[in-house]
């Protein structure tokens, strides 16, 4: 080994650094995740400082924000998640399972931007030019403002970006990129971290907006380092069931806008199409006259989305009842069942319970608590809930139904989609009194709510 270099062990899950090998990571508790990597800290530090030209500190008034005008991608759902478009000089990480459609989405972004007369560079380390062309043919027509480049060496990429000077660049994917100054293999923690550092510098110094594609591991982290999330300006996750056609783009970090905003897409034969009205989409296929099903409302960023919550409560054949929760937090479902048992005197301890957010979307907002509770009661008592009813509200440990934010938007969304009544917390009534044309059923606790559905 060359003099001056030392080896460090990195957790491949979270990026935890240690001077010796460990069986379990103290940071993220993953087992057997430490991998030895050679680091040459001196060289990396030099590389960072090389292109730094020292400037004097400035006052806020001196900073011009003219350049911060957003670049619209003409994909409304993506612009929304980004907070109104791409910010010049920003670095955005797009994570997601393999095959979910990251490359497709970004190629569509490139097509739109090129169509608007902006220079775009798409750099792929995963696919050959031919493969990209095959995808491009499915998506549509491209003009000459888009250039493609297959490369994994970051030094070359830096030179090409400087020469081409595009407005937007896509790097597909960060796990294939290779920085010669770091001796470990592509995809390893130090490689991914250094590469992102280099791209960050390119973005900030040249004012180029860069999209980085990152693959995620089994448990949903961007492969290898969580450190990546701290370095970039925005983190978007592309999720959804591979077997279903819709895809959800979720903003989990955004330095230029609100987080938790989602964009909904559908994977079609010719690329991704926006779903402009997700509630309608999520509710299509809702069964009629079935017990254990209710429509709830969750706010995703600034937009209310109606979803169907399903529950199946069946007698258990074993001593320990089975419980599962798909699309929401398992522990939350257990807690709500305990509340039902204690506060509404439902004997659930001898029943298996399966709770599912239909459509495979993940929702964790506490406002869906009331929906989960009512779905479970409906299935347990085998009572069909009126299909034109929506419920929302947070449920507390004493069985009280608590206020949630943005009640007005939720009720308006329900009204827009033709629902006739809404079960909501009493404390929210003030903000929605003026809405006409929909029946408002205010409830104080879960017993009232259960009475509302006639169970
Ligand atoms: P891709 O963008 O290659 O995924 P990622 O880059 O996240 O790994 O998505 C590929 C999948 O999308 C593949 O299973 C085929 C499907 N697809 C369509 O259904 N329609 C299309 O028009 C395109 C381009 C891909
Ligand atoms: Mg891809």
């Amino acid at each position: 080994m060359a003099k001056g270099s030392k080896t460090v062990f990195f957790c491949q899950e979270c990026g935890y650094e240690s001077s010796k090998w460990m069986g379990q990571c103290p940071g993220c508790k993953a087992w057997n995740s430490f991998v030895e990597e050679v680091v040459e800290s001196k060289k990396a530090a030099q590389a960072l400082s090389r292109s730094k030209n020292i400037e004097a500190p400035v006052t806020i008034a001196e900073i011009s924000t003219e350049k911060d005008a957003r670049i619209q991608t003409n994909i409304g759902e993506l612009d929304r998640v980004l907070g109104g478009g791409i910010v010049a000089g920003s670095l955005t990480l797009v994570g997601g399972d393999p095959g979910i459609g990251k490359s497709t989405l970004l190629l569509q972004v490139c097509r739109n931007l090129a169509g608007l007369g902006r220079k775009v560079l798409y750099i792929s380390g995963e696919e050959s030019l031919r493969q990209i062309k095959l995808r491009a043919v499915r998506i549509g027509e491209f003009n000459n403002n888009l250039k493609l480049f297959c490369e994994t060496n970051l030094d070359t990429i830096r030179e090409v970006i400087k020469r081409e000077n595009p407005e937007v660049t896509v790097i597909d994917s960060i796990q294939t990129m290779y920085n010669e100054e770091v001796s470990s293999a592509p995809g390893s923690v130090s490689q991914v971290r250094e590469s992102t550092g280099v791209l960050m510098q390119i973005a900030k110094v040249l004012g180029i907006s860069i999209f980085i594609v990152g693959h995620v591991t089994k448990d949903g982290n961007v492969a290898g380092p969580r450190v990546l999330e701290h370095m970039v300006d925005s983190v978007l996750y592309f999720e959804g069931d591979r077997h279903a056609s819709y895809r959800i783009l979720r903003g989990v970090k955004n330095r230029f806008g609100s987080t938790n905003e989602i964009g909904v897409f559908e994977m079609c034969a010719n690329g991704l199409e926006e779903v402009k009205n997700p509630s309608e989409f999520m509710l299509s296929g809702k069964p009629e006259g079935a017990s254990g099903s209710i429509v709830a409302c969750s706010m995703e960023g600034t937009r209310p989305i109606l979803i169907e919550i399903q529950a199946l409560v069946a007698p258990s054949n074993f001593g320990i009842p089975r419980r599962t929760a798909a699309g929401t937090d398992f522990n939350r479902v257990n807690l709500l069942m305990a509340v039902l048992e204690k506060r509404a005197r439902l004997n659930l301890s001898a029943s298996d319970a399966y709770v599912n957010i239909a459509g495979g979307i993940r929702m964790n907002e506490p406002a869906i608590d009331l929906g989960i509770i009512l779905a479970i009661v409906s299935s347990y008592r085998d009572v069909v809930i009126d299909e034109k009813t929506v419920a929302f509200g947070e449920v507390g440990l004493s069985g009280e139904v608590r206020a949630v934010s943005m009640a007005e938007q939720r009720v308006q969304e329900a009204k827009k989609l033709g629902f006739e009544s809404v079960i909501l917390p009493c404390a929210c009534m003030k903000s929605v009194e003026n809405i006409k044309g929909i029946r408002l059923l205010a409830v104080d606790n879960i017993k009232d709510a259960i009475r509302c559905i006639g169970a």
Side-chain angles (χ1 to χ4, degrees):
M1 196 185 302
K3 223 180 157 190
S5 61
K6 59 169 188 165
T7 67
V8 172
F9 293 84
F10 283 105
C11 169
Q12 297 292 305
E13 298 288 336
C14 70
Y16 190 95
E17 200 176 317
S18 160
S19 57
K20 63 181 195 323
W21 188 84
M22 279 185 275
Q24 189 187 24
C25 171
C28 67
K29 304 280 180 266
W31 286 97
N32 205 13
S33 61
F34 276 88
V35 170
E36 184 175 23
E37 288 178 15
V38 183
V39 290
E40 282 148 283
S41 42
K42 244 186 172 171
K43 259 193 169 176
Q46 276 169 0
L48 270 179
S49 61
R50 203 182 291 147
S51 63
K52 225 179 248 169
N53 37 358
I54 298 166
E55 284 175 22
V58 292
T59 62
I60 288 193
E62 284 167 348
I63 306 168
S64 95
T65 48
E66 272 167 47
K67 273 188 81 184
D68 282 359
R70 309 243 176 182
I71 305 170
Q72 305 286 328
T73 61
N74 266 359
I75 301 179
E77 296 289 304
L78 175 67
D79 285 341
R80 174 213 307 283
V81 178
L82 287 170
I86 306 169
V87 175
S90 64
L91 189 63
T92 306
L93 174 67
V94 180
D97 290 327
I100 203 83
K102 302 179 294 294
S103 307
T104 307
L105 176 70
L106 290 173
L107 200 59
Q108 274 178 268
V109 170
C110 290
R111 179 199 57 187
N112 284 6
L113 292 174
L116 292 170
R118 298 183 186 274
K119 271 180 83 177
V120 193
L121 180 60
Y122 185 99
I123 300 171
S124 179
E126 298 201 327
E127 292 159 312
S128 65
L129 290 171
R130 225 182 126 257
Q131 280 172 306
I132 301 173
K133 167 134 194 191
L134 286 177
R135 178 182 291 119
V137 166
R138 292 178 74 172
I139 292 175
E141 300 206 343
F142 286 73
N143 71 16
N144 295 340
N145 287 327
L146 170 67
K147 297 262 176 71
L148 303 173
F149 188 54
C150 289
E151 183 57 64
T152 56
N153 186 330
L154 263 175
D155 277 334
T156 318
I157 289 174
R158 189 189 346 227
E159 288 314 309
V160 169
I161 293 181
K162 271 188 191 153
R163 200 168 55 208
E164 294 286 326
N165 196 22
E167 278 180 79
V168 177
T169 300
V170 174
I171 306 283
D172 190 0
S173 66
I174 192 68
Q175 274 91 7
T176 56
M177 294 301 146
Y178 178 74
N179 187 348
E180 276 175 4
E181 276 152 18
V182 183
S183 42
S184 46
S188 64
V189 176
S190 31
Q191 222 13 295
V192 168
R193 187 154 56 179
E194 292 299 327
S195 305
T196 310
V198 170
L199 292 169
M200 186 67 161
Q201 241 194 350
I202 297 174
K204 298 299 167 198
V205 173
L206 301 178
I208 296 171
S209 311
I210 301 183
F211 283 92
I212 299 176
V213 172
H215 296 294
V216 297
T217 55
K218 297 187 285 302
D219 29 324
N221 297 326
V222 171
R226 289 296 285 278
V227 272
L228 258 189
E229 290 187 6
H230 307 300
M231 296 172 75
V232 299
D233 294 316
S234 323
V235 180
L236 315 180
Y237 279 108
F238 212 23
E239 51 188 51
D241 194 345
R242 271 186 71 179
H243 307 291
S245 63
Y246 68 84
R247 305 278 186 266
I248 312 252
L249 188 68
R250 194 182 289 274
V252 293
K253 168 180 173 182
N254 194 347
R255 284 195 183 140
F256 313 108
S258 72
T259 49
N260 275 331
E261 204 67 71
I262 68 168
V264 185
F265 296 90
E266 191 179 356
M267 182 62 94
C268 302
N270 47 3
L272 288 156
E273 250 165 55
E274 294 175 62
V275 176
K276 290 268 166 56
N277 194 340
S279 296
E280 221 164 76
F281 192 70
M282 294 292 159
L283 294 180
S284 60
K286 182 179 177 313
E288 277 176 31
S291 66
S293 155
I294 189 168
V295 177
C297 185
S298 174
M299 290 300 295
E300 295 296 319
T302 53
R303 178 163 60 169
I305 292 185
L306 298 179
I307 40 155
E308 185 200 349
I309 297 180
Q310 300 182 322
L312 181 66
V313 181
S316 177
N317 289 323
F318 302 100
I320 305 164
R322 261 181 75 87
R323 264 101 213 249
T324 65
T328 188
D329 185 19
F330 175 70
N331 292 322
R332 188 92 199 153
V333 170
N334 273 337
L335 183 145
L336 292 172
M337 291 186 71
V339 171
L340 269 177
E341 194 135 357
K342 179 101 179 164
R343 307 289 170 196
R345 305 251 167 259
L346 247 64
N347 182 17
L348 294 168
S349 55
S351 309
D352 292 340
Y354 310 92
V355 172
N356 177 33
I357 308 276
I361 187 172
R362 268 202 83 75
M363 297 256 156
N364 283 324
E365 210 209 347
I368 64 170
D369 286 357
L370 191 59
I372 296 176
I373 290 255
L374 292 177
I376 292 172
V377 174
S378 158
S379 174
Y380 179 75
R381 299 245 163 96
D382 207 8
V383 170
V384 179
I385 300 174
D386 171 40
E387 61 197 36
K388 294 274 175 217
T389 301
V390 173
F392 65 84
E394 182 180 346
V395 173
L397 292 187
S398 0
E400 81 275 22
V401 178
R402 311 171 68 113
V404 295
S405 60
M406 304 204 242
E408 196 188 339
Q409 280 98 317
R410 296 179 208 253
V411 174
Q412 291 288 13
E413 176 79 2
K415 192 178 151 190
K416 200 172 86 193
L417 283 160
F419 284 86
E420 285 161 7
S421 42
V422 179
I423 304 176
L424 75 170
C426 278
C428 288
M429 275 308 276
K430 246 205 184 139
S431 52
V432 298
E433 305 174 306
N434 297 330
I435 304 176
K436 297 275 174 289
I438 189 159
R439 202 150 57 101
L440 300 170
L441 305 164
V443 294
D444 234 346
N445 52 50
I446 55 172
K447 277 193 192 155
D448 289 352
I450 293 171
R451 227 170 286 134
C452 276
I453 60 164

